[in-house]
Amino acid sequence: MEKQITALQISHILGEDYPRGWVESLIEIPKKEKFGDAAFPCFALAKSMRKSPAVIAGEIAARLKHPVFDSVEVQSGYINIFFDRAFITEHTLNQVLEDPGAYGSHTFGEGKNAVFDMSSPNIAKPFSMGHLRSTVIGNALANLVEKCGYQAVKVNYIGDYGTQFGKLLAAYTRWGDPKAVEEDPIKELTKLYVTFHEEAEEEPALIEEGREWFKKLEAQDPEALLLWNWFREASLQEFDTLYEMLGVDFDLTRGEAYYTDKMEPVIQQLEDKGLLEKSEGADVVQLDESMPPCLIRKSNGTTTYATRDLAAAIDRYQSYPFEKSLYVVGNEQTLHFNQIKQVLKKAGFEWADRMEHVSFGMILQDGQKMSTRKGKTVLLEEVLEEAVDQALMNIKEKNPDLMNPEETARQVGVGAVIFHDLKQDRRHDIEFSLEDMLTFEGNTGPYLQYTYARACSLLRKGGFSPEDSKTAGGNPESWSLVKTMRAFPEVTASACTTNDPSKAARYLLDLGRSFNQYYAKSKIIGSPTQQENLTLVYAFTVVMKEGLRLLGMAAPEHM
């Protein structure tokens, strides 16, 4: 808020040739408090104004006045602005206390739908660490868009169709043991899938056998359908256990197979618009020179993943007319997504421009991509269980008298895994390291949760009640914390509009550090200003708890 006020005042002084947005882009937040709370460098004005930056800074500073400014200084071509700490502190705390749950909210998304294609595991395959990213990034972004007023629609688009299922059906009919599949469906089906690819290297005819089984599935062959439904239901039950553990739910779970009878109308539309062409017996849509044609139907008559995605996009817009449709899928799907979007635009669907690919990097193991086909994968369930076990050990060591340690360990362990992902720039690959993920110190989820619990402990010890809040401010020890809390609304808006939950995650680390610095420097309980101090602590708990919620993490009050 103060940054916008500062930019507006400077822009007004400079005149219409220097709009507020341009001025705001130059304003810096000094790392050292002696240089103020905001600083405006005047070097970019020197050429157009034909004066030195120092002279320009002096002229602007002489006219720069606003009730929120305490003082203005000029130094080496910079205008250093110091805000009124008492005013800012009281205003910030009043904003938080007025409606705690609404602090950091926005209305720019009101009346608009934001549809998410997220998680999307494949049936008959284990839920690996690779699927964690789509799930937690999508969930955090859905929470953030709702914070900004949108109606989020979370779609779990299950991979339950395609040639890989033909391969699985072929493998099961050759080597499958019904009893083994009943006892541990995902493990046994994964073993069959890996076996198929190993055997296919020695017996290439197996690949054609897999294609034939997929053709049977598309033709609604009774045997193929019976096996496929069995594999699907067993997989979904296992996935639901993991989603419950992660605290993630969906507005709609829909598989690719749902679009079986919706693909032909889409193909016909493309045909009617003159977009479909034959290429070596297959049906394709030609795109611009920067990308290959989009394969719509193979030469053997079977459809493709692209065909189903086209049908799904049209169906989603008809069901939930969206302002934006976010596809939270890996970087490796960039070409596919661009093809889908361009086909829809060529077909006349103007809303295709509202579709966005929220890409992310892979989780690597020893520098290599995890692969179910090669049997090289790390199971998310095992990672979560180990994280919870490690959290329980730490909690029992630090607080052996804690009530219900198992539930707290679940919140901390799962939170550690979620935060380890979300604090990263989503576009980068992440090297899988259980040790780094489960470190309960430093820039981690448990650090934030411990900090929150510490603040809750202070409130209990001081007998604080929000009804007894006192918002007098200006304490030098609390200033960094107040400024950080005040930035929360700006962070939620930015994380939403840029589809970047890491902005919220990194902000929470700053917030935690600011609180711990305040805690170390201040006598909170037993001081003459105890009630004002506890009001600040309470406001901190409000912001931290809401920030953790947006990331999909719990905020335990006892640890």
Side-chain angles (χ1 to χ4, degrees):
M1 178 181 174
E2 287 70 46
K3 191 175 181 181
Q4 289 86 353
I5 290 172
T6 304
L8 186 64
Q9 297 302 309
I10 294 175
S11 175
H12 179 71
I13 292 167
L14 291 173
E16 60 184 20
D17 290 338
Y18 304 93
R20 192 195 80 175
W22 180 80
V23 173
E24 189 174 333
S25 70
L26 293 179
I27 292 176
E28 301 172 4
I29 306 300
K31 292 182 179 179
K32 295 183 178 180
E33 285 193 0
K34 67 178 182 179
F35 296 127
D37 301 305
F40 180 72
C42 296
F43 307 99
L45 300 169
K47 185 176 181 181
S48 61
M49 298 182 73
R50 298 182 180 179
K51 298 176 183 178
S52 73
V55 170
I56 297 169
E59 291 176 350
I60 296 173
R63 299 173 59 191
L64 196 58
K65 293 177 175 58
H66 192 277
V68 83
F69 300 157
D70 182 61
S71 62
V72 178
E73 297 178 356
V74 173
Q75 187 174 29
S76 305
Y78 277 84
I79 303 171
N80 297 331
I81 300 148
F82 297 81
F83 299 137
D84 185 326
R85 295 184 176 186
F87 174 82
I88 295 293
T89 298
E90 190 166 358
H91 187 265
T92 302
L93 295 179
N94 283 333
Q95 276 193 312
V96 177
L97 295 169
E98 182 181 357
D99 189 352
Y103 185 64
S105 297
H106 303 276
T107 58
F108 59 80
E110 278 188 2
K112 303 171 184 176
N113 291 327
V115 177
F116 289 82
D117 183 313
M118 54 180 279
S119 195
S120 307
N122 293 319
I123 68 165
K125 291 185 181 180
F127 201 114
S128 72
M129 286 298 296
H131 285 104
L132 173 73
R133 304 214 70 191
S134 176
T135 306
V136 299
I137 292 170
N139 190 57
L141 286 176
N143 290 337
L144 283 162
V145 301
E146 287 186 334
K147 188 73 174 172
C148 295
Y150 290 92
Q151 176 66 47
V153 181
K154 294 184 285 185
V155 181
N156 192 5
Y157 188 39
I158 300 291
D160 64 356
Y161 214 61
T163 53
Q164 68 266 38
F165 297 104
K167 295 173 183 177
L168 185 60
L169 291 170
Y172 178 79
T173 53
R174 278 202 173 208
W175 308 293
D177 179 349
K179 186 176 179 181
V181 174
E182 285 282 359
E183 289 176 356
D184 197 340
I186 299 293
K187 181 179 179 182
E188 191 62 25
L189 292 173
T190 301
K191 188 191 299 183
L192 288 169
Y193 189 71
V194 172
T195 299
F196 179 90
H197 284 278
E198 289 173 347
E199 294 294 324
E201 291 182 7
E202 303 296 326
E203 188 183 346
L206 267 177
I207 299 296
E208 186 56 38
E209 194 174 317
R211 292 195 186 105
E212 288 303 313
W213 269 104
F214 180 55
K215 285 184 72 173
K216 287 183 181 182
L217 186 59
E218 285 214 303
Q220 306 284 291
D221 175 82
E223 184 185 5
L225 278 176
L226 184 68
L227 291 173
W228 175 81
N229 276 312
W230 177 29
F231 299 162
R232 188 178 190 275
E233 290 307 310
S235 300
L236 291 178
Q237 285 180 19
E238 198 156 314
F239 294 159
D240 285 344
T241 301
L242 282 168
Y243 290 132
E244 185 177 351
M245 199 168 186
L246 286 168
V248 175
D249 56 18
F250 299 92
D251 299 287
L252 187 66
T253 296
R254 182 163 282 173
E256 293 177 57
Y258 174 82
Y259 299 101
T260 303
D261 60 351
K262 295 173 175 58
M263 288 184 284
E264 199 54 47
V266 173
I267 295 171
Q268 190 60 52
Q269 278 184 286
L270 298 176
E271 180 79 61
D272 293 344
K273 292 177 184 289
L275 297 174
L276 218 55
E277 297 182 15
K278 286 288 183 186
S279 175
E280 298 180 7
D283 292 313
V284 303
V285 173
Q286 297 290 344
L287 304 175
D288 63 39
E289 295 178 359
S290 66
M291 65 183 76
C294 184
L295 178 61
I296 303 298
R297 187 161 45 194
K298 298 177 183 178
S299 56
N300 66 359
T302 57
T303 54
T304 68
Y305 186 58
T307 327
R308 293 184 284 282
D309 259 11
L310 291 168
I314 294 168
D315 181 65
R316 285 173 198 171
Y317 187 77
Q318 291 171 343
S319 302
Y320 312 99
F322 48 75
E323 178 66 21
K324 54 183 179 179
S325 179
L326 304 182
Y327 287 73
V328 188
V329 293
N331 292 336
E332 66 271 21
Q333 294 291 325
T334 297
L335 173 60
H336 167 79
F337 177 79
N338 288 337
Q339 286 181 310
I340 295 302
K341 190 170 179 177
Q342 198 171 125
V343 170
L344 289 167
K345 287 178 71 173
K346 290 190 75 169
F349 295 104
E350 295 180 2
W351 46 261
D353 280 328
R354 303 180 197 175
M355 296 164 59
E356 299 177 57
H357 179 200
V358 181
S359 62
F360 55 84
M362 296 180 288
I363 294 185
L364 306 176
Q365 189 176 21
D366 301 324
Q368 301 294 315
K369 178 183 177 181
M370 296 177 181
S371 171
T372 307
R373 179 180 299 185
K374 296 177 181 178
K376 183 183 177 66
T377 187
V378 175
L379 303 186
L380 176 59
E381 185 176 15
E382 293 176 0
V383 172
L384 291 176
E385 288 173 353
E386 189 159 346
V388 172
D389 289 345
Q390 181 67 52
L392 187 59
M393 285 172 52
N394 287 7
I395 287 168
K396 286 183 175 179
E397 182 181 320
K398 293 184 178 183
N399 190 358
D401 299 322
L402 180 68
M403 297 284 288
N404 198 7
E406 290 78 11
E407 175 58 20
T408 303
R410 186 192 66 79
Q411 294 175 337
V412 173
V414 172
V417 175
I418 292 173
F419 191 79
H420 181 267
D421 189 298
L422 294 180
K423 73 178 181 180
Q424 318 278 352
D425 185 319
R426 60 173 168 78
R427 296 163 297 183
H428 296 164
D429 294 340
I430 302 174
E431 179 65 34
F432 174 75
S433 168
L434 200 56
E435 184 179 353
D436 290 347
M437 194 175 290
L438 302 182
T439 297
F440 285 75
E441 296 175 359
N443 297 337
T444 66
Y447 165 78
L448 299 178
Q449 291 169 317
Y450 276 124
T451 302
Y452 174 80
R454 169 184 281 172
C456 290
S457 177
L458 285 171
L459 297 177
R460 288 193 298 273
K461 287 176 183 176
F464 178 80
S465 171
E467 289 74 25
D468 302 325
S469 298
K470 292 183 71 173
T471 58
N475 183 347
E477 286 78 23
S478 66
W479 181 232
S480 176
L481 177 57
V482 170
K483 286 197 295 181
T484 309
M485 288 195 297
R486 194 164 179 78
F488 186 54
E490 183 180 341
V491 170
T492 57
S494 179
C496 171
T497 55
T498 59
N499 300 324
D500 187 0
S502 72
K503 289 183 176 180
R506 291 194 296 269
Y507 165 80
L508 292 185
L509 290 171
D510 289 339
L511 182 65
R513 282 191 286 265
S514 294
F515 175 80
N516 284 320
Q517 288 166 5
Y518 167 67
Y519 177 81
K521 294 176 182 177
S522 307
K523 184 180 181 183
I524 296 171
I525 305 288
S527 73
T529 58
Q530 174 174 309
Q531 206 60 20
E532 290 92 332
N533 297 344
L534 290 176
T535 299
L536 178 65
V537 173
Y538 171 69
F540 162 77
T541 64
V542 168
V543 180
M544 178 60 81
K545 183 176 183 179
E546 179 64 0
L548 291 171
R549 184 193 71 80
L550 291 173
L551 296 183
M553 297 169 61
E557 295 185 6
H558 302 265
M559 284 181 71

